[in-house]
Amino acid sequence: MSRYQSVFKDETKLDINYIPHRLPHRDKELRLLMEFFSFMLQFPEKMAQRVLITGDIGTGKTVLAQRFGAEITREASKRSISIRYVHVNCREYRGSLLLILQHIVSDFHPNFPKRGYSAEELLRNLIQMLDEEKAYVILTLDEFDSLIEREGSDAVYKLTRMQEGRQNKPQRLSLICILRSLGSIAHLDESTRSTLQSNIINLKKYSKEQLTDILNDRVAVAFKPSTVPEDTVDLTAEIAYSENGNARFGIELLWRAGKYSDAEDLSSVAPECVRQAFSSIIAIVRKSDLASLNFHAKLFLLGMTRIFKESQKANASLVEAEKAYAIVCEEFSVRPNSHTQLWKYLQDLSTTGILKTEVPGTGSRGRSTLIYFQVSTEELGNELKTVLEKGGA
Ligand code: ADP
Ligand code: MG
């Protein structure tokens, strides 16, 4: 019988999509957000609200908005007001207002034909649907920067003008825009900026103590009792603090540390597990390394990460890697580079600490070369996708 027993009680509580019931050190901001919308709970038809949330990565922007969404819809339903909270990550829709609106409309009316409408028409349809249902929407545009990058002032103009043209009719659409810093909207035209900037909530980076509280909350719901010593939480908080007060980093580090602990069949998560986990992701965190890679090296790498998605193997052969790369090239509609070129990329990549290569037997530059990843291929894949979508050619 295996001695193997996991330290985890419920890993999903460490997932990025999990929305905790309590947000330590963000209650003030949550209350402020509720304040901004309190008018809407009383006289929903009278006013559409606009709020900006700013803050660095991992300061809790997304989770704050989502927590708020859950609370406001609960409050609204107590009062029999139909408020829908819709959270959209603009980057997932490549910053396109049209794609975002298509998504929202089909969320409301799954049978609505998506194609053949302009953004304005979709918006008008959406408002009409809301009129019919006497419903209100609070739309959160997360990673708003990517919408601005692609569409400029226009998107905001469309989203807000629709309301203004309806003076005597109920206001249906409120906006929460989430972005890293105000810098990305600095170049928008004056009137668009002033439309947006009336209510700003800025999330400061967390202190070590605050991170400790956040981590302790997660430990209680994700791990079995007494499996995570105080020292471990302390070290995790310390590292997350030095990584810019990034709560996401801390939570992920804790999860990885738990994985290391399980792999070594330990009964609790020792600080050493945190250190091991940290060294394993450090390469990923240096995202600048990825961004600076040649375009085809990125595609090559993306192809390789997919091999490990489909199999539990420890390594992949160069042949497999080249096949996977060819498929990626097809997706990106580019012609694949030659074997020799790929071989060079592989050598470069093996100096970054992302992967290691091993040539069994005679050591020719052969296709029997084996590739081992030293970092999580899942994360690497996600990161590469982001970098490539940003147009990292
Ligand atoms: P951002 O959107 O600012 O990059 P997120 O909202 O995604 O940050 O937060 C990162 C991670 O940290 C998420 O897993 C989130 O649940 C968690 N988190 C952030 N702030 C808190 C908090 N105050 N309490 C509990 N968990 C938090
Ligand atoms: Mg976020």
Side-chain angles (χ1 to χ4, degrees), residues 23-24 26 56 58-63 206 214 218 247-248 251:
L23 299 179
R26 288 296 180 236
D56 274 340
T59 52
K61 300 182 295 297
T62 300
V63 79
Y206 291 116
I214 293 171
R218 285 308 163 95
R248 174 177 326 163
I251 292 169

Side-chain angles (χ1 to χ4, degrees), residues 43 99 102 167 176 183 203 255 275 345 347 350 368 383:
F43 312 102
L99 293 180
Q102 282 180 350
Q167 289 302 345
I176 297 178
L203 303 187
W255 172 74
R275 284 188 286 272
Y345 290 146
Q347 300 316 301
S350 69
S368 58
E383 198 50 51

Side-chain angles (χ1 to χ4, degrees), residues 45-201:
E45 72 282 5
K46 290 277 191 322
M47 193 177 85
Q49 187 57 284
R50 278 148 212 170
V51 177
L52 280 187
I53 302 178
T54 59
D56 274 340
I57 295 184
T59 52
K61 300 182 295 297
T62 300
V63 79
L64 174 68
Q66 277 171 329
R67 185 71 255 154
F68 161 77
E71 311 232 326
I72 190 102
T73 41
R74 202 184 51 203
E75 280 301 312
S77 75
K78 272 195 217 156
R79 295 161 203 236
S80 308
I81 305 170
S82 171
I83 294 184
R84 297 259 301 250
Y85 175 80
V86 182
H87 193 110
V88 181
N89 185 322
C90 300
R91 196 171 301 286
E92 278 171 29
Y93 298 91
R94 284 177 275 143
S96 151
L97 183 62
L98 183 65
L99 293 180
I100 291 169
L101 288 169
Q102 282 180 350
H103 162 76
I104 301 171
V105 169
S106 65
D107 196 37
F108 273 75
H109 280 262
N111 296 329
F112 191 85
K114 280 215 270 189
R115 308 206 177 273
Y117 291 96
S118 68
E120 283 99 332
E121 286 165 337
L122 282 176
L123 201 51
R124 213 170 301 126
N125 272 302
L126 177 67
I127 304 282
Q128 202 180 340
M129 287 173 194
L130 295 173
D131 273 340
E132 280 160 19
E133 292 170 22
K134 293 195 171 48
Y136 304 87
V137 164
I138 300 175
L139 171 62
T140 294
L141 297 167
D142 204 341
E143 309 219 24
F144 185 60
D145 323 38
S146 80
L147 182 66
I148 296 293
E149 245 167 63
R150 172 147 173 180
E151 315 238 349
S153 298
D154 228 36
V156 184
Y157 185 66
K158 282 176 192 150
L159 285 168
T160 52
R161 184 187 52 178
M162 188 64 74
Q163 309 278 327
E164 278 137 25
R166 294 170 34 105
Q167 289 302 345
N168 300 317
K169 286 194 171 171
Q171 301 291 300
R172 296 287 175 199
L173 182 65
S174 289
L175 294 180
I176 297 178
C177 304
I178 300 183
L179 63 172
R180 298 269 289 276
S181 79
L182 292 177
S184 48
I185 59 166
H187 63 276
L188 293 182
D189 63 62
E190 180 70 36
S191 76
T192 310
R193 262 202 334 252
S194 64
T195 320
L196 288 174
Q197 278 184 347
S198 42
N199 307 302
I200 301 180
I201 299 180

